[in-house]
Amino acid sequence: KPDVVSYRLVLNAIEHSKDPNKAERAKSVLDRFIASIPTVSDPNTINTQLKDNMQGAYNSVLAACAYTPSNAGDQARNNAARILVETLRDLNNSKDVTLGPNQESFSIFMQGCTHLFRPGSSDRALLMKSALQECCENGFLTEKIWDKFCNASSEEDVQSFLSGIEKGDGSFAALPCDWSRNVAP
């Protein structure tokens, strides 16, 4: 029976492959990994190492989606986009209150939206704005994430996002510090 390390190694290999269907394959491995974890009555009793590996597993699936080859074909790219959104949603809805998206999750998700959705599409704009809002609320905003949002969004979308805060110059340094309160060094 595969252990945690085995699942992570397989996910890492899939994530870095050139397989056009790697998003689906990674999601399937993640599902098997989650199913292999013994059910506990209190999900908050899962040890830190397992939580870290689960976080890494979810991020590997996000990365497999985000880096689906450009020449993968419409069906593979549409599946990758669907799995990208579902995986972030699943990470958000985890039964374990200490497991959720981190700065890496949000960064990879932004990259995936940029890569998988057409520039200027309403789906891309809505997903990126929603993810950025959640990222800021959870205190995981980094300069890299902010730059990804700004570079992939219209000026109107950036200004709309900033409309509720003190007017600054839109630079990362001018954003509320609270939006980065949980960023790991």
Side-chain angles (χ1 to χ4, degrees):
K1 181 177 171 181
D3 64 1
V4 172
V5 174
S6 300
Y7 282 111
R8 287 302 311 281
L9 287 171
V10 170
L11 282 167
N12 191 46
I14 293 170
E15 171 188 343
H16 292 95
S17 76
K18 298 197 183 309
D19 180 356
N21 297 307
K22 66 184 182 174
E24 289 178 344
R25 289 181 58 216
K27 178 69 168 105
S28 174
V29 171
L30 175 65
D31 290 344
R32 286 190 305 246
F33 173 39
I34 291 169
S36 76
I37 298 168
T39 305
V40 293
S41 57
D42 180 5
N44 296 314
T45 62
I46 296 175
N47 71 49
T48 304
Q49 183 180 6
L50 180 56
K51 286 180 187 179
D52 290 346
N53 278 300
M54 288 175 66
Q55 179 75 57
Y58 276 99
N59 286 346
S60 285
V61 174
L62 291 171
C65 297
Y67 296 103
T68 293
S70 298
N71 62 354
D74 289 344
Q75 182 176 358
R77 290 177 58 78
N78 288 339
N79 285 340
R82 177 184 51 77
I83 293 167
L84 178 82
V85 173
E86 288 173 359
T87 301
L88 187 68
R89 183 199 64 219
D90 291 348
L91 191 51
N92 275 319
N93 296 333
S94 171
K95 292 181 177 109
D96 180 351
V97 296
T98 63
L99 184 66
N102 61 14
Q103 66 202 48
E104 182 181 2
S105 310
F106 288 114
S107 181
I108 298 168
F109 184 83
M110 291 287 190
Q111 183 65 39
C113 288
T114 300
H115 182 64
L116 296 168
F117 293 90
R118 285 185 342 273
S121 77
S122 59
D123 286 341
R124 176 171 154 170
L126 179 64
L127 287 167
M128 290 188 76
K129 190 172 181 180
S130 296
L132 186 65
Q133 182 68 42
E134 182 181 346
C135 177
C136 294
E137 287 171 4
N138 291 331
F140 287 117
L141 184 65
T142 63
E143 190 165 5
K144 180 179 177 181
I145 294 169
W146 179 247
D147 288 346
K148 284 181 182 189
F149 176 76
C150 291
N151 291 333
S153 300
S154 68
E155 182 64 28
E156 180 182 309
D157 285 340
V158 173
Q159 290 307 315
S160 169
F161 187 82
L162 293 172
S163 67
I165 66 166
E166 288 291 320
K167 293 293 180 199
D169 60 5
S171 69
F172 180 74
L175 300 176
C177 295
D178 191 51
W179 288 1
S180 300
R181 69 187 176 279
N182 293 318
V183 171

